[in-house]
Amino acid sequence: MNSQSFESAMGRLEQIVRSLEQGNVPLEESLKLFREGTELVRSCTKQLDDAQLQIQKVMTGADGSPVLEDFHDDGTV
């Protein structure tokens, strides 16, 4: 799996979509771009899911009840 940032992956995905929408990319290259785009979508989805889990952990106490805490970004996603 690619370890690029979410923003970088989304930027590349946007480039791929634009290229495919133009319709002037040869079939073999289109398939290659489609496969790359699919992997980027998986990577972005995983990063978003991981971020959501972190937020839920911060917002839920040990007993499952909601807890108000200040959000501190420790740099891990």
Side-chain angles (χ1 to χ4, degrees):
M1 175 173 293
N2 201 338
S3 63
Q4 63 183 314
S5 73
F6 179 81
E7 294 79 10
S8 175
M10 286 299 295
R12 177 61 182 142
L13 190 54
E14 289 172 6
Q15 290 174 342
I16 290 170
V17 169
R18 278 194 300 273
S19 294
L20 292 173
E21 285 179 340
Q22 289 175 356
N24 58 358
V25 180
L27 179 61
E28 190 63 34
E29 181 67 17
S30 292
L31 291 172
K32 189 174 170 182
L33 289 172
F34 180 80
R35 285 190 296 268
E36 181 184 353
T38 301
E39 288 301 315
L40 289 168
V41 167
R42 283 188 191 123
S43 173
C44 288
T45 300
K46 182 177 180 341
Q47 289 181 56
L48 288 173
D49 289 345
D50 290 347
Q52 183 179 11
L53 285 174
Q54 282 187 344
I55 290 169
Q56 287 174 340
K57 286 179 186 175
V58 168
M59 296 175 54
T60 305
D63 63 355
S65 64
V67 176
L68 295 177
E69 294 182 15
D70 291 333
F71 178 75
H72 299 285
D73 184 6
D74 64 2
T76 61
V77 175

